[in-house]
Amino acid sequence: MSEGLYLSERESAILGQEFLTWLWFKSEHEGGRFKAGDEWFEVYMEQRVSVEGGSGDGKEVATVAGPHAEMREARMGLSTGKKVNRALLRLAQDGEEWTMQLKAEDFAYNSVRTPKVDTRREQGEDPDGIWLEKLYLLEKCIGFMDLLYRQFLEVRLSSIKWPQELKAFRTWLTSR
């Protein structure tokens, strides 16, 4: 593997970890509410979060999972410098919910679940309507994620906003 490709993959993983860590912080700090144009939507870390720190043989991973997990161990990992490398996310808007597992190293969406689509068809309805509705819901979910990543990059790449965000993050982390 060429050195440039390796560095690119490593940098993507680090940026992905920072994004997921920031998203956990912002979802709790903002009460889960984010704005998309004139609309609001919600994002929550569900009861499955994995944090990772170190490298090579010294790499450590802590995963918290379960319906009543308080994520104490994962939060403790954050306080020791670990970053979120996988998370189960729940997005919601107007009574509709999406869930997905997001991996930091490649931004891969796994196990995406959209809101339920009514599969009953009335006579004369477009037979592709169900499929098109499902596709619309997937696109909406991806749009939310794109918006969140754009918001993260605006803060992360700012020499003024990022230090302020880190200060707020540390306060959030120690207050729990």
Side-chain angles (χ1 to χ4, degrees), residues 101-116:
Q101 176 104 28
L102 184 60
K103 295 187 331 184
E105 67 261 16
D106 58 4
F107 292 90
Y109 301 155
N110 295 318
S111 306
V112 178
R113 288 193 176 156
T114 66
K116 293 217 184 273

Side-chain angles (χ1 to χ4, degrees), residues 9 20 24 35 56-57 64 67 79 84 98-99 109 119 127 136 159 162 169 171:
E9 288 176 356
L20 284 175
W24 184 6
K35 193 166 186 176
D57 292 338
V64 177
S79 68
V84 179
W98 296 257
T99 60
Y109 301 155
T119 57
Y136 165 76
S159 60
W162 187 243
F169 171 77
T171 302

Side-chain angles (χ1 to χ4, degrees), residues 49-67:
V49 174
S50 178
V51 295
E52 176 181 86
S55 61
D57 292 338
K59 186 180 284 188
E60 295 178 347
V61 177
T63 301
V64 177

Side-chain angles (χ1 to χ4, degrees), residues 77-94:
L78 293 180
S79 68
T80 64
K82 291 181 174 126
K83 294 183 177 142
V84 179
N85 68 332
R86 287 179 193 247
L88 180 62
L89 303 174
R90 180 171 48 90
L91 294 87
Q93 185 184 51
D94 299 330

